[in-house]
């Protein structure tokens, strides 16, 4: 499979892929397949099997069979293999970047950045092998101790979104494996190739059969069965899909970690560095065509600086380049025609409910980009925190702003949401900074900087943005469960 995907990345014709289950590349027996489209031009680049529920069951069975032997290895041995996989990602970096751009549409420079993040997630996970800690605490009884140990869950299924198909797979796969679990990846139907490429690299490294598996197909068929049968499910995706997974795992009280949607506020106060805030706001809104869960989704601007900020912001947005992603523009295409329609519909409703158009972009339907799913940026200004653009996750190249009179109003409006993933605050007042811990209800706050979490941090959402979290020692600890032993030697 590595050769076929490499040829595709080099500009070859569409490929027929297989799934990776139990150390073997297998075709789906159901007979149906999913077409993978290049969002830049609408061309068909691959055909992937649509796994049946029975094939999902087989993947869990082989992963469960392999798990005890995998967990019996010394953690440093598990970490060594994950580190070798990181080496393979770096050795094949340009091929993987090309695949990411072809199936997801992000500009090639951003795809290369995703490959770097993919390797970093794996490398960081490998370094956790010597940090799996237990605890010994005294008992109330003589000649007795209480041991708290950390042990793997068993079979972990990772369900990933289409916006960062390689990095999100590595973010879950690395810590799950180092912790002693076996892993099944269920990539989004739009972007299965990156995960298959990583599986091909894992095969090259020599992971034992059944430790890493990749199942392709529909989430409501194969994905649902994986959720029902796995010991733990970690998912990054939409709030809608997260609810479905939460329900599917409810009967068995499944261990579920969900990183879902966001509606990040971007607060700019009167004492902020305006030029830095503008640059940050543009980056945080339009990177990957706005298809990031931590994106700047709504801006709250202090009245005294709002005019200056918006003038500079609109000018900066007008200067963004839009082109085929292999030309490395600022903006590539949206992932699909359906996503374009969704964003257009939000713009229409927002304007209909009173939003002022400062810059009208929208779907590009003529010229050399008309075959792809390209959108020019839109900038809106609204006086209502209830406007659709302020309430609904846009996940596209639309920026919306609202003017506020003070910090209290900014905080109140920012917190007036069901989401709680990330937030941005620009101010030089450290007293305001100290208030954010208790008063801004989000799991991740960027203070005087743009988005982009670090692997040693903790990426965690509140409310409809999810449960659990990824990254750092806390994220790694989520792939282990605790076992308490009362040891008496009387």
């Amino acid at each position: 499979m590595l050769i076929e995907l490499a040829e595709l990345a080099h500009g070859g014709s569409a490929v027929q892929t297989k799934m990776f289950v139990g150390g073997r590349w297998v075709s789906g027996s159901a007979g149906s397949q999913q077409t993978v489209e290049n969002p830049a031009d609408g061309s068909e680049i691959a055909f992937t099997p649509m796994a049946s529920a029975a094939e999902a069951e087989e993947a869990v069975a082989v992963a469960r069979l392999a798990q005890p032997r995998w967990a019996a290895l010394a953690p440093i041995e598990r970490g060594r293999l994950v580190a070798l996989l990181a080496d393979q990602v770096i050795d094949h970096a340009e091929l993987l970047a090309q695949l990411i751009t072809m199936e997801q549409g992000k500009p090639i420079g951003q795809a290369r950045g995703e490959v770097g993040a993919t390797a970093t997630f794996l490398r960081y996970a490998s370094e956790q092998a010597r940090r799996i800690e237990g605890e010994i605490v005294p008992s109330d009884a003589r000649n007795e101790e209480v041991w708290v140990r950390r042990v793997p869950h068993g079979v972990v299924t990772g369900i990933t979104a289409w916006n960062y198909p390689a990095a999100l797979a590595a973010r879950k796969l690395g810590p799950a494996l180092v912790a002693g679990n076996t892993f099944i990846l269920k990539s989004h139907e739009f972007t299965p190739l990156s995960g298959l490429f990583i599986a091909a690299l894992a095969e090259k490294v020599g992971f034992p059969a059944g430790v890493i598996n990749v199942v392709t197909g529909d989430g409501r068929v194969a994905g649902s069965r994986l959720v029902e049968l796995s010991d733990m499910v970690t998912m990054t995706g939409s709030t809608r899909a997260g609810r479905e997974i939460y329900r599917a795992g409810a009967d068995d009280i499944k261990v579920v970690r969900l990183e879902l949607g966001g509606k990040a506020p971007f607060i700019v106060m009167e004492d902020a560095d305006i030029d830095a805030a503008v640059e940050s706001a543009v980056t945080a809104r339009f990177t990957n065509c706005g298809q990031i869960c931590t994106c700047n989704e709504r801006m709250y601007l202090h009245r005294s600086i709002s005019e200056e900020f918006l003038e500079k912001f609109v000018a900066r947005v007008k200067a963004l380049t839009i082109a085929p992603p292999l030309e490395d523009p600022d903006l590539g295409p949206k992932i699909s025609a359906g996503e374009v329609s969704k964003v257009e519909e939000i713009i229409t409703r927002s304007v209909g409910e009173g939003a002022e158009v400062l810059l009208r972009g929208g779907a590009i339907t003529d010229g050399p980009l008309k075959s792809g799913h390209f959108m020019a940026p839109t900038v809106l200004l609204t006086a209502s925190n209830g406007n659709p653009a302020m309430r609904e996750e846009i996940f596209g190249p639309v920026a919306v702003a609202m003017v506020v009179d003070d910090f209290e109003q900014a905080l109140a409006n920012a917190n007036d949401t069901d989401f709680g993933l990330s937030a941005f605050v620009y101010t030089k007042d450290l007293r305001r900074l100290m208030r954010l811990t208790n008063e801004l209800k989000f799991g991740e706050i960027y203070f005087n900087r743009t988005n982009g979490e670090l692997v040693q941090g903790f990426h965690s959402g509140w409310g409809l943005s999810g449960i659990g979290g990824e990254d750092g020692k806390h994220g790694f600890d989520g792939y282990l469960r605790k076992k308490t032993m009362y040891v008496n030697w009387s």
Side-chain angles (χ1 to χ4, degrees):
M1 203 72 251
L2 184 61
I3 294 174
E4 292 91 334
L5 291 172
E7 290 176 348
L8 175 63
H10 280 308
S13 57
V15 298
Q16 176 69 61
T17 72
K18 297 181 178 180
M19 298 182 290
F20 190 66
V21 178
R24 299 183 300 113
W25 293 98
V26 297
S27 301
S29 61
S32 59
Q33 59 184 16
Q34 174 80 28
T35 300
V36 181
E37 179 191 78
N38 184 337
D41 59 16
S43 63
E44 297 178 346
I45 58 174
F47 307 97
T48 59
M50 298 285 282
S52 64
E55 286 161 336
E57 293 170 9
E58 180 184 355
V60 174
V62 299
R64 196 170 301 287
L65 184 64
Q67 195 272 329
R69 288 187 179 181
W70 176 249
L73 293 176
I76 196 65
E77 286 299 306
R78 300 196 296 265
R80 182 185 66 84
L81 287 171
V82 172
L84 289 175
L85 181 55
D87 291 340
Q88 286 294 317
V89 168
I90 294 300
D91 289 346
H92 296 80
E94 190 60 22
L95 287 176
L96 181 52
Q98 295 278 344
L99 276 181
I100 292 169
T101 291
M102 291 178 72
E103 68 174 345
Q104 196 273 328
K106 62 169 56 73
I108 187 65
Q110 295 178 34
R112 290 174 183 135
E114 180 177 348
V115 173
T118 301
T120 298
F121 281 131
L122 294 171
R123 187 84 60 201
Y124 183 84
S126 74
E127 295 165 356
Q128 300 302 305
R130 289 193 172 99
R131 300 181 184 128
I132 301 174
E133 298 178 349
E135 302 160 33
I136 299 177
V137 296
S139 171
D140 294 349
R142 186 179 297 179
N143 297 328
E144 185 175 278
E145 289 180 338
V146 182
W147 297 355
V148 181
R149 304 185 65 182
R150 284 173 168 81
V151 297
H153 288 275
V155 176
V156 173
T157 285
I159 300 174
T160 57
W162 46 258
N163 58 336
Y164 283 88
L168 291 175
R171 192 180 213 170
K172 300 174 185 300
L173 180 148
L177 294 183
V178 175
N181 306 285
T182 49
F183 189 79
I184 303 169
L185 174 65
K186 168 59 183 72
S187 299
H188 196 279
E189 301 93 292
F190 288 164
T191 55
L193 305 182
S194 298
L196 292 170
F197 192 81
I198 291 172
L201 297 181
E203 181 184 36
K204 186 178 171 74
V205 166
F207 279 83
V211 171
I212 296 175
N213 307 274
V214 179
V215 173
T216 58
D218 185 71
R220 289 185 171 89
V221 179
S224 293
R225 196 66 181 130
L226 291 172
V227 169
E228 292 166 358
L229 296 176
S230 299
D231 299 302
M232 174 185 170
V233 178
T234 170
M235 178 266 195
T236 299
S238 68
T239 299
R240 176 201 57 76
R243 284 189 173 112
E244 292 182 8
I245 289 169
Y246 209 32
R247 292 188 187 102
D251 286 346
D252 295 324
I253 318 298
K254 195 72 59 181
V255 178
V256 177
R257 296 170 62 182
L258 304 173
E259 197 247 311
L260 308 176
K263 191 65 182 174
F266 195 105
I267 297 171
V268 185
M269 297 311 297
E270 78 285 354
D271 60 343
D273 181 331
I274 301 303
D275 290 336
V278 166
E279 194 61 32
S280 172
V282 171
T283 299
R285 175 65 270 178
F286 296 105
T287 298
N288 196 21
C289 203
Q291 300 170 132
I292 305 176
C293 56
T294 58
C295 262
N296 158 25
E297 282 265 340
R298 50 197 171 114
M299 299 184 290
Y300 297 103
L301 312 175
H302 191 277
R303 188 172 302 278
S304 65
I305 55 87
S306 60
E307 186 174 338
E308 177 189 0
F309 181 96
L310 287 171
E311 181 180 347
K312 291 180 175 180
F313 181 82
V314 171
R316 180 69 178 83
V317 174
K318 286 180 177 178
L320 294 174
T321 57
I322 308 172
L326 291 177
E327 296 179 16
D328 204 18
D330 296 312
L331 278 80
K334 283 279 290 169
I335 186 68
S336 70
E339 279 289 309
V340 171
S341 297
K342 182 202 78 172
V343 175
E344 285 280 22
E345 192 266 342
I346 292 175
I347 295 172
T348 299
R349 282 193 291 114
S350 299
V351 173
E353 294 187 27
E356 177 185 353
V357 179
L358 302 184
L359 178 66
R360 184 60 166 106
I364 297 176
T365 58
D366 55 18
L369 302 179
K370 65 180 181 181
S371 297
H373 308 309
F374 290 88
M375 296 193 76
T378 294
V379 181
L380 304 175
L381 177 65
T382 181
S384 170
N385 207 42
N387 188 276
M390 300 296 280
R391 305 299 301 176
E392 302 171 24
E393 186 179 29
I394 301 171
F395 223 60
V398 179
V400 58
M402 180 176 171
V403 177
V404 296
D405 292 315
D406 52 38
F407 192 55
E408 282 65 31
Q409 186 183 6
L411 289 179
N413 284 330
N415 286 331
D416 183 20
T417 179
D418 293 327
F419 294 100
L421 184 56
S422 59
F424 303 79
V425 178
Y426 269 78
T427 178
K428 296 176 182 176
D429 189 338
L430 293 184
R431 291 170 298 182
R432 290 170 173 164
L433 168 64
M434 299 309 294
R435 292 175 59 184
L436 299 181
T437 299
N438 293 322
E439 297 185 45
L440 194 54
K441 308 300 183 182
F442 294 81
E444 187 170 276
I445 297 174
Y446 298 99
F447 187 77
N448 289 337
R449 62 156 285 184
T450 197
N451 60 333
E453 59 269 18
L454 298 176
V455 70
Q456 67 269 34
F458 184 54
H459 183 58
S460 173
W462 295 5
L464 292 187
S465 291
I467 55 174
E470 303 277 5
D471 304 338
K473 65 179 183 180
H474 301 294
F476 180 74
D477 195 49
Y479 289 93
L480 296 156
R481 55 183 170 177
K482 298 175 183 66
K483 176 178 289 188
T484 302
M485 301 174 64
Y486 292 84
V487 180
N488 188 291
W489 57 88
S490 296

